[in-house]
Amino acid sequence: MLELRFHSRGGQGGVIAGKLLAVAVFKEGRFVQSFPTFGVERRAAPVKAFVRIDDNPIRIRNQIYNPDHIIILDSSLILMEDVTQGLKSGGTILINTDKPPGAFPFADGFKVVTIDASAIAVKHGLGSVTQPIVNTAILGAVAKALRVVKIDSVVAAIEEEVPSKAAANAAAAREAFDTAGE
Amino acid sequence: MHKILTGNQAAAWGAMCAQAQVVSAYPITPQTTIIEELADLVDKGMLKAEFIKVESEHSAMAGCIGAQAAGARTFTATSAQGLALMHELLHWAALGRLPIVMADVNRAMAPGWSIWTDQNDSLAQRDTGWLQFYCESNQEVLDTTIQAYRIAEQVDLPVMLILDAFLLSHTSEAVDVPGQEATARYLPPYKPSIYLNTKEPHAFGGIVPQDIYMEFRYKMQVAMDEALEICQKADEEYGAMFGRKYGLVDVYPNDDDDDDDDDKPKAQSQKPKAEFDVMLVTSGTVTSTARYAIDRMREQGLKVGLLKTRLLRPFPTQLLCEAVDGVPKLAVIDRNICVGMGGIWAQEIKAALYHQPYKQRPLVLEYIAGLGGRDITPEIVEQIALDAHKRDKAMDTPKWVGLKE
């Protein structure tokens, strides 16, 4: 079983990213569970979302403490909270930022991958420069860097589930997939 | 059609499949997204229902009572303090013999103010005359919502289906949605024999003198007794039609679990063929996590099994006695507390076991865990099973697991 944790701020779409990833994974015939932080969500406050993926039915229904990988939609959260808490050794930290991986001195044993999802989102008209909606772009990078899902499944999930600007969201995911590191 | 749905969406889509005609509801965390989803389904024309916005949960149930008495199929949903505020009208719905279906998202009672799961809200409504089903997965939430209408309308009693806050309500997973057309083949249109009708005016709920009140209550008891078989049959037929059934109690592991490709329905008695030293007794999502923990423990050679209790009222006494026959110890995990007595499921189970001959009764060990949404991990479940393994007599007071020193 693979467990992921998304870090974002309320309003950035981290919870929706988790749900879209669930739809994409399910399209590949695997089992999936996705849930937000169990609590009260407020705009701009730190929010976490979680995804479990397995080839067998998922019976475990408690919270996730030791994710295999983490995805950070807002790099300012790295200064605010211990984002790597419980992260398994060898896990990947995928960060939305315009900086290179070397700019983030996490402890040894973690791999850092960066993607400028904000710039990609703005380029495709998703949100504004100050408040880009990065959740679909980041999923393209998830497909590339974490290899937990195929990009075609992500795009199909976006086309099915995103109520407006589905084509722009799908294009953002594809561009992020094409530009993200592995 | 498979969709990725939260537990709350699954409840709403269940009511949509069942073609509820009136939704009367008031929002409360963590139930709110049920009625948001229903409002959306009504707005999109996917559910042709009156959506009544009210000013409290008391009024929400009053709206259902009025509509149901007028012959409409109704749905509502609530949680915790909202359910408590409905209490008076829960009696009114049941004694009025109105087959209303309601989802309760289990949330701990306040104070201390909590939005997280435990079962005290729904268990406190045990004696109102509602049937109560506790669900383990989002699929079971949807399937139970549909089954609930079929059962309620056959026994003329209301049904409450219960799902854990957040662990189901806000968790997304794949759910097979049968749709309205297929559901209609399982659930015929609601045609009550009596209803409020201006062409033939009658009154409901008038004064009942001492010489007939008891008979009203007796008839409810008879209906509840008959409901057990109706619940079983509703589940069996649902299984035959849609390929999923749950039993009223479920034993895990069960030798039948390997016969997934066998098209014969499972034996209803769910008699355990595996031998167990200890059987955990669980309800709600704890069951699901416990299945995972049991697989791990059995790999290490521990003879631990599980009894899932899905139905609280009517209580499946006979099925429970058969399921635990020959098992020396039960460890009941209660995500609730009746202060001054103990875990509520444990009390129910002890009362049911009085129907067993004295020497066949298993030792019942009581554990309290996960109140106010505290996480119940596989490790907590294992801790309980190992503790039960060591004990050979009943405890004076329930053991609280995961309590801070």
Side-chain angles (χ1 to χ4, degrees):
Chain A
M1 183 157 56
L2 199 69
E3 295 181 321
L4 309 178
R5 186 171 68 209
F6 288 79
H7 294 258
S8 65
R9 290 178 183 277
Q12 289 181 327
V15 175
I16 299 292
K19 184 151 186 178
L20 284 173
L21 180 57
V23 173
V25 168
F26 180 69
K27 284 183 180 298
E28 297 180 358
R30 284 180 292 159
F31 294 88
V32 65
Q33 213 184 60
S34 155
F35 50 91
T37 313
F38 295 165
V40 185
E41 285 158 30
R42 287 157 294 142
R43 209 155 191 86
V47 172
K48 296 187 195 95
F50 303 86
V51 178
R52 284 194 173 102
I53 300 171
D54 202 355
D55 293 328
N56 297 304
I58 300 169
R59 285 174 162 162
I60 194 167
R61 288 189 185 278
N62 59 291
Q63 301 199 35
I64 289 172
Y65 299 98
N66 299 111
D68 295 276
H69 306 295
I70 59 172
I71 300 109
I72 301 168
L73 275 67
D74 186 322
S75 61
S76 71
L77 291 168
I78 295 169
L79 301 171
M80 282 181 64
E81 50 183 27
D82 181 9
V83 289
T84 59
Q85 190 180 34
L87 178 62
K88 281 184 190 154
S89 178
T92 297
I93 304 166
L94 173 62
I95 309 169
N96 169 27
T97 176
D98 58 4
K99 296 186 178 70
F104 299 92
F106 285 111
D108 289 347
F110 300 133
K111 181 183 170 188
V112 178
V113 177
T114 61
I115 175 79
D116 195 353
S118 297
I120 294 171
V122 170
K123 183 179 157 194
H124 290 275
L126 305 169
S128 61
V129 175
T130 49
Q131 286 188 309
I133 310 293
V134 300
N135 53 3
T136 46
I138 203 81
L139 285 179
V142 165
K144 180 74 163 285
L146 306 182
R147 279 175 275 184
V148 297
V149 68
K150 295 188 182 76
I151 184 63
D152 288 346
S153 312
V154 169
V155 167
I158 290 169
E159 284 168 350
E160 192 175 293
E161 296 284 325
V162 175
S164 71
K165 295 192 183 177
N169 279 287
R174 281 209 188 274
E175 183 172 341
F177 180 82
D178 291 340
T179 52
E182 288 190 40
Chain B
M1 173 189 50
H2 278 89
K3 285 188 73 73
I4 299 288
L5 297 178
T6 63
N8 276 355
Q9 288 176 308
W13 281 64
M16 186 270 283
C17 290
Q19 301 190 53
Q21 294 161 298
V22 174
V23 176
S24 168
Y26 188 78
I28 180 171
T29 301
Q31 157 267 30
T32 304
T33 51
I34 298 182
I35 61 168
E36 283 179 355
E37 187 76 6
L38 280 165
D40 198 40
L41 291 169
V42 171
D43 181 56
K44 285 179 180 154
M46 291 168 72
L47 175 63
K48 291 184 175 46
E50 275 302 316
F51 190 100
I52 308 174
K53 288 186 286 181
V54 291
E55 75 288 0
S56 76
E57 287 84 358
H58 193 273
S59 301
M61 185 48 62
C64 287
I65 288 170
Q68 193 85 35
R73 185 175 279 166
T74 67
F75 184 79
T76 191
T78 191
S79 278
Q81 316 298 124
L83 184 64
L85 184 59
M86 266 184 198
H87 177 74
E88 181 210 350
L89 291 173
L90 295 183
H91 284 283
W92 196 276
L95 274 73
R97 304 298 298 271
L98 296 167
I100 296 163
V101 172
M102 167 163 67
D104 176 59
V105 184
N106 264 157
R107 160 180 161 177
M109 295 300 296
W113 198 244
S114 169
I115 55 171
W116 297 278
T117 201
D118 78 34
Q119 300 177 326
N120 263 87
D121 61 344
S122 55
L123 289 171
Q125 308 304 335
R126 184 193 65 177
D127 300 336
T128 53
W130 285 61
L131 285 80
Q132 284 197 8
F133 283 92
Y134 288 78
C135 300
E136 181 186 350
S137 67
N138 293 356
Q139 183 71 62
E140 190 175 342
V141 168
L142 180 135
D143 293 336
T144 303
T145 308
I146 295 170
Q147 289 186 11
Y149 281 102
R150 164 96 168 236
I151 296 161
E153 292 168 13
Q154 282 184 43
V155 297
D156 289 324
L157 285 170
V159 177
M160 193 186 300
L161 63 117
I162 293 125
L163 57 152
D164 290 1
F166 298 103
L167 295 161
L168 291 185
S169 71
H170 287 62
T171 296
S172 298
E173 58 186 4
V175 177
D176 184 12
V177 182
Q180 289 179 339
E181 206 175 300
T183 303
R185 288 196 287 276
Y186 170 80
L187 177 70
Y190 177 50
K191 285 187 182 146
S193 54
I194 48 165
Y195 59 97
L196 289 176
N197 180 355
T198 50
K199 290 188 184 112
E200 204 185 317
H202 286 84
F204 282 163
I207 191 160
V208 172
Q210 304 94 311
D211 64 335
I212 48 171
Y213 182 89
M214 260 179 86
E215 283 69 22
F216 276 80
R217 280 296 203 172
Y218 174 72
K219 285 189 166 182
M220 279 180 79
Q221 171 68 24
V222 170
M224 269 291 187
D225 287 344
E226 289 170 357
L228 261 183
E229 206 181 315
I230 288 167
C231 291
Q232 279 182 316
K233 213 170 153 219
D235 190 47
E236 289 290 331
E237 286 181 24
Y238 195 89
M241 205 171 275
F242 301 111
R244 293 181 299 275
K245 61 200 192 89
Y246 302 94
L248 305 184
V249 297
D250 183 38
V251 172
Y252 181 81
N254 187 316
D255 291 353
D256 289 347
D257 291 343
D258 301 329
D259 302 340
D260 285 346
D261 52 351
D262 191 343
D263 53 11
K264 274 185 300 188
K266 278 187 203 171
Q268 188 52 243
S269 68
Q270 303 278 4
K271 211 171 170 66
K273 290 169 194 150
E275 282 189 9
F276 304 123
D277 292 338
V278 174
M279 234 175 153
L280 303 172
V281 184
T282 57
S283 54
T285 54
V286 183
T287 305
S288 193
T289 302
R291 290 181 199 270
Y292 173 88
I294 280 171
D295 287 348
R296 277 207 323 207
M297 286 187 281
R298 292 181 71 84
E299 275 168 23
Q300 293 161 16
L302 286 169
K303 290 180 180 174
V304 184
L306 171 90
L307 180 76
K308 165 187 176 177
T309 46
R310 179 167 175 245
L311 187 62
L312 176 79
R313 282 294 176 275
F315 198 79
T317 299
Q318 196 59 38
L319 291 173
L320 178 114
C321 289
E322 283 169 23
V324 304
D325 192 29
V327 176
K329 283 184 241 182
L330 303 183
V332 184
I333 306 179
D334 267 299
R335 194 171 220 161
N336 62 75
I337 178 69
C338 170
V339 285
M341 190 60 186
I344 296 170
W345 286 97
Q347 310 315 316
E348 295 284 327
I349 283 153
K350 284 194 285 187
L353 290 173
Y354 203 76
H355 293 257
Q356 293 272 66
Y358 173 67
K359 286 187 176 163
Q360 273 169 253
R361 284 178 215 155
L363 178 64
V364 177
L365 298 161
E366 303 181 31
Y367 298 88
I368 307 295
L371 302 189
R374 186 165 298 183
D375 208 13
I376 298 184
T377 60
E379 291 72 29
I380 293 269
V381 175
E382 285 171 10
Q383 196 185 326
I384 290 169
L386 292 175
D387 185 83
H389 222 267
K390 285 185 295 196
R391 291 182 189 271
D392 56 11
K393 57 178 193 276
M395 295 180 265
D396 294 335
T397 180
K399 187 175 169 83
W400 291 60
V401 186
L403 199 63
K404 291 199 176 100
E405 296 293 322

